[in-house]
């Protein structure tokens, strides 16, 4: 299977959407059934406006949908989209995505780059301990 | 916006190819693979403790590390570094100790793109397609970063 760019985009959005603990909390709540913005905002100590923004991100990632239901506009979890994320290749990708983003962060600090500058050409740092056999 | 990661797992072939660019010079990306103190900061899933027992990123060197999560579950990995050429190339074996004897061979190319940017390419070869798919799925079980492990529960709910 070749991972096509559109799938890449979709996953990238999903990754961003799920990288936030509040959004994961919202997803967890929605897995038990649809809920309104008010209901979703309840467990979090953030404004309703902030929760609405989080829901928008989840919507753009295709993980949740909103329906018109008279005055209530409940948010629904798209279980299929979430299921797609658990296909092994996608999860494998998420893990690497996380790993590479960690590496990005490390490389963005002076530590990552200074070490390279001062270490270049010297022998490798090694970690060695007695291995329990 | 972050650099995209491209992962290709061809149908019917026991390969996996990963490609990713970094906004950092090749020496820095290489060093992040060589220095165990730096490796610890990015290789482990979040929420896991990474205990590096051995890390000798040199030709004929080797490595072993153990990830332990908050529940105290441990997952160990080991392998040898067959060849390592500074800022350029490395070949290593990779074994998850939960699946002994299923060893993949991974070659990593560090490509200097100029302007302080680097492309990293990793090509993994597994003993069989089944080994590739099975290994990766089990790798999922332990490697899922904080938050994603809950996806299965959510989907099952």
């Amino acid at each position: 299977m070749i991972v096509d760019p559109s799938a890449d985009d979709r996953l990238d959005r999903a990754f961003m959407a799920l990288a936030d603990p509040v959004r994961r909390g919202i997803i967890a709540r929605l897995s038990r059934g649809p809920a309104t913005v008010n209901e979703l905002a309840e467990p979090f100590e953030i404004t309703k406006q902030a929760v609405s923004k989080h829901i928008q991100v989840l919507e753009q990632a295709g993980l949740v949908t909103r329906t018109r239901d008279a005055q209530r506009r409940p948010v629904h979890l798209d279980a299929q989209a979430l299921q797609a994320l658990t296909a092994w290749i996608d999860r494998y990708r998420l893990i690497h995505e996380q790993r590479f983003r960690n590496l990005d962060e490390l490389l963005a600090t002076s530590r990552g780059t200074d070490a390279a500058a001062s270490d270049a050409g010297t022998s490798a740092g090694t970690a060695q301990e007695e291995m329990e056999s | 916006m972050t650099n995209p990661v491209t992962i290709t797992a061809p149908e019917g072939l026991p390969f996996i190819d990963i490609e990713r660019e970094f906004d950092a010079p090749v020496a820095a990306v290489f060093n992040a693979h060589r220095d165990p103190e730096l490796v610890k900061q990015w290789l482990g899933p979040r929420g896991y403790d990474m205990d590096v027992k051995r890390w000798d990123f040199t030709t004929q060197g080797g490595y072993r590390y153990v990830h332990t999560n908050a529940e105290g579950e441990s997952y160990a990995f080991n392998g040898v570094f067959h060849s390592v050429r500074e800022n350029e190339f490395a070949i290593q074996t990779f074994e998850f100790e939960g699946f002994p004897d299923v060893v993949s061979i991974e070659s990593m190319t560090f490509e200097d793109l100029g302007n302080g940017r680097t492309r990293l390419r990793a090509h993994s070869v597994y003993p069989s397609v089944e080994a590739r798919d099975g290994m990766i799925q089990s790798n999922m079980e332990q490697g899922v970063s904080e938050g994603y492990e809950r996806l299965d529960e959510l989907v099952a709910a």
Side-chain angles (χ1 to χ4, degrees):
Chain A
M1 139 198 39
I2 303 295
V3 180
D4 65 285
S6 67
D8 258 20
D9 283 354
R10 178 176 59 80
L11 273 171
D12 201 46
R13 281 198 300 275
F15 179 87
M16 293 296 286
L18 292 169
D20 182 277
V22 171
R23 292 198 285 269
R24 287 200 300 270
I26 291 172
I27 290 280
R29 164 64 189 83
L30 290 175
S31 69
R32 300 196 299 272
T36 62
V37 176
N38 276 340
E39 289 164 342
L40 289 171
E42 226 168 273
F44 303 108
E45 290 183 3
I46 53 176
T47 63
K48 231 175 74 177
Q49 207 177 8
V51 170
S52 290
K53 274 224 174 75
H54 281 306
I55 291 167
Q56 259 172 22
V57 174
L58 290 170
E59 251 185 311
Q60 280 155 5
L63 293 170
V64 306
T65 53
R66 302 187 69 179
T67 50
R68 275 249 174 258
D69 177 4
Q71 290 313 300
R72 294 174 81 245
R73 287 198 65 200
V75 183
H76 301 258
L77 180 69
D78 187 338
Q80 232 175 350
L82 202 56
Q83 194 121 35
L85 277 180
T86 60
W88 68 259
I89 188 74
D90 286 358
R91 294 179 58 190
Y92 187 75
R93 190 179 180 286
L94 286 171
I95 286 165
H96 282 79
E97 185 83 63
Q98 181 75 66
R99 209 177 261 183
F100 290 140
R101 285 176 192 223
N102 292 346
L103 185 47
D104 281 337
E105 275 173 46
L106 171 69
L107 293 167
T109 64
S110 56
R111 208 174 149 216
T113 43
D114 284 0
S118 63
D119 239 28
T122 66
S123 65
T126 61
Q128 193 96 39
E129 278 179 34
E130 280 305 302
M131 309 253 285
E132 307 108 63
S133 49
Chain B
M1 202 50 215
T2 179
N3 289 302
V5 59
T6 309
I7 295 186
T8 314
E11 198 75 60
L13 290 169
F15 304 154
I16 286 198
D17 285 278
I18 300 177
E19 216 174 284
R20 174 68 145 74
E21 292 180 12
F22 294 92
D23 302 320
V26 68
V29 177
F30 183 84
N31 202 52
H33 284 75
R34 175 174 55 187
D35 180 344
E37 286 310 311
L38 297 178
V39 170
K40 265 187 229 179
Q41 293 181 49
W42 66 269
L43 188 65
R46 287 181 184 182
Y48 282 67
D49 173 65
M50 181 171 172
D51 182 12
V52 179
K53 302 285 186 193
R54 179 183 181 218
W55 193 271
D56 179 8
F57 194 64
T58 57
T59 296
Q60 307 216 333
Y63 68 93
R64 182 166 186 265
Y65 58 88
V66 182
H67 288 319
T68 305
N69 66 11
E71 286 76 52
E73 294 158 338
S74 285
Y75 305 90
F77 305 86
N78 75 79
V80 300
F81 292 115
H82 179 87
S83 44
V84 176
R85 291 200 300 274
E86 180 149 21
N87 300 342
E88 195 183 312
F89 186 68
I91 295 185
Q92 67 178 80
T93 62
F94 176 87
E95 179 180 37
F96 168 41
E97 293 179 11
F99 267 79
D101 303 339
V102 179
V103 176
S104 63
I105 300 174
E106 307 190 344
S107 48
M108 275 186 293
T109 308
F110 299 82
E111 190 184 345
D112 186 349
L113 298 174
N115 295 329
R117 300 188 79 256
T118 304
R119 180 182 295 130
L120 180 65
R121 276 184 312 195
H123 176 69
S124 302
V125 181
Y126 285 83
S128 66
V129 173
E130 293 72 26
R132 177 192 71 179
D133 298 359
M135 232 319 281
I136 283 162
Q137 295 204 49
S138 70
N139 200 352
M140 296 303 90
E141 301 315 310
Q142 58 75 36
V144 179
S145 46
E146 186 257 320
Y148 299 116
E149 51 221 7
R150 301 221 311 271
L151 276 177
D152 273 344
E153 294 164 36
L154 292 179
V155 171

